[in-house]
């Protein structure tokens, strides 16, 4: 009996001491945890929180600089803004550095002015120093084409607000005509815009061209769209909304910009189109999906092309565009 009482007492003592030990460790751990929380609350947690904000802020600022590289018209424009039409410049035997600075100057004077802007390498990166450029008035030349005087690509370089420009693609003429030089020097023949405007309420650019009165021996067969400015500013994808366009267009290809979203491929490089030994800096490539024969549907000899632009390719042309352009062709 005494032995049983002894064993029971030992077991009870062990249980009591064990509970005390567990409570001691639990309270100790709890106190340590509270001390850690208090220490972090007073310093480390706050510092880590602000470090996180600063890190994210720096990251967002970096991304902001990258994505705002001259993609949108400057803020503060109200209503309709008239944009100056800049004349072409002479670029033959200049350097890429010179062309880049020229481009930056005209962008800074445009509705897309942005201190972070740099010319896109995929558009301008293949320009070669000290080479000729095809001249603006070389329309009727047999190869080699003229390279003196103003350069045809500056119709676009110097007028960055024209996201998609019009250029003559193909025509027929009498090579024995005596007035070809005077015709090719006409700004309308070179498809230099007569007027450029921006409507901030619609986020829409309007570009007006006058189709010249060609002599009877010259017949324009087709024109095309040049998206060098659109591609440079990141508006790579475009679609002609025929429901809002009043100009008649007979496209050369069954698959074209009026029935599907296209991606502009325009760039400038050293090519052989001029027929000059060693090549010339010129625009490329040929894009048949952008070529069409224009005709007027009405007797007033005026028509419009309504173009939607996106930075990222949308699933459908019905998606709201990032910006639009209305091209007006008139006699």
């Amino acid at each position: 009996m005494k032995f049983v009482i002894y064993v029971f007492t030992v077991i009870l003592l062990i249980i009591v001491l064990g509970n005390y030990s567990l409570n001691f460790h639990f309270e100790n751990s709890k106190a340590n945890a509270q001390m850690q929380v208090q220490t972090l609350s007073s310093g480390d947690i706050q510092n880590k929180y602000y470090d996180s904000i600063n890190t994210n802020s720096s990251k967002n600022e970096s991304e902001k600089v990258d994505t705002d590289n001259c993609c949108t018209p400057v803020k503060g424009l109200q209503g309709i803004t008239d944009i100056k039409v800049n004349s072409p410049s002479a670029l033959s035997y200049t350097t890429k550095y010179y062309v880049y600075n020229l481009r930056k100057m005209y962008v800074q004077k445009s509705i897309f002015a942005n201190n972070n802007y740099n010319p896109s390498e995929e558009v301008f990166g293949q320009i070669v120093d000290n080479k000729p450029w095809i001249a603006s008035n070389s329309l009727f030349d047999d190869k080699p084409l003229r390279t003196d005087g103003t350069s045809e690509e500056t119709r676009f370089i110097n007028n960055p607000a024209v996201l998609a420009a019009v250029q003559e693609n193909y025509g027929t003429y009498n090579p024995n005509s005596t007035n070809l030089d005077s015709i090719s020097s006409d700004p309308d023949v070179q498809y230099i815009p007569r007027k450029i405007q921006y409507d901030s309420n619609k986020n829409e650019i309007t570009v007006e061209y006058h189709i010249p009165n060609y002599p009877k021996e010259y017949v324009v067969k087709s024109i095309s769209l040049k998206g060098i400015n659109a591609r440079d500013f990141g508006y790579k994808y475009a679609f002609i909304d025929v429901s809002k366009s009043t100009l008649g267009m007979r496209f050369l290809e069954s698959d074209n910009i009026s029935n599907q979203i296209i991606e502009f491929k325009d760039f400038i490089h050293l090519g052989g189109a001029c027929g000059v030994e060693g090549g010339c800096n010129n625009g490329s490539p040929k894009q048949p999906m952008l070529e069409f024969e224009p005709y007027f549907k009405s007797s007033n000899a005026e028509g419009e092309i309504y173009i939607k632009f996106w930075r990222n390719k949308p699933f459908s042309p019905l998606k709201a565009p990032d910006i639009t352009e209305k091209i007006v062709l008139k006699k």
Side-chain angles (χ1 to χ4, degrees), residues 243-260:
S243 69
K244 295 184 178 181
S245 301
T246 58
L247 181 73
M249 294 169 278
R250 298 187 186 94
F251 282 88
L252 276 61
E253 298 287 327
S254 57
D255 294 329
N256 58 70
I257 189 175
S258 73
N259 56 35
Q260 63 184 265

Side-chain angles (χ1 to χ4, degrees), residues 40 43-53:
L40 288 172
D44 293 346
I45 287 180
Q46 189 175 24
N47 289 337
K48 287 181 180 180
Y49 173 73
Y50 284 116
D51 286 346
S52 176
I53 289 178

Side-chain angles (χ1 to χ4, degrees), residues 85-88 136-137 139 150 155 166-168 181-194 208-212 214:
V85 178
N86 298 305
S87 301
S136 303
N137 60 348
L139 181 63
T150 61
R155 292 175 293 173
V166 172
Q167 67 174 7
E168 184 170 323
D181 278 348
S182 62
I183 295 172
S184 64
S185 298
D186 184 341
D188 289 337
V189 172
Q190 296 175 16
Y191 280 92
I192 296 172
R194 286 285 191 96
E208 183 179 304
Y209 296 92
H210 283 215
I211 296 179
Y214 293 107

Side-chain angles (χ1 to χ4, degrees), residues 237-303:
Y237 300 96
F239 176 78
I240 290 179
D241 189 339
V242 293
S243 69
K244 295 184 178 181
S245 301
T246 58
L247 181 73
M249 294 169 278
R250 298 187 186 94
F251 282 88
L252 276 61
E253 298 287 327
S254 57
D255 294 329
N256 58 70
I257 189 175
S258 73
N259 56 35
Q260 63 184 265
I261 297 167
I262 63 93
E263 180 181 359
F264 290 116
K265 304 292 186 182
D266 301 87
F267 60 87
I268 299 173
H269 73 148
L270 185 69
C274 60
V276 175
E277 185 178 356
C280 302
N281 288 309
N282 62 261
S284 195
K286 186 177 177 64
Q287 299 174 82
M289 296 175 73
L290 305 178
E291 300 175 13
F292 58 91
E293 296 178 13
Y295 65 92
F296 295 113
K297 295 179 180 180
S298 61
S299 58
N300 64 354
E302 181 174 330

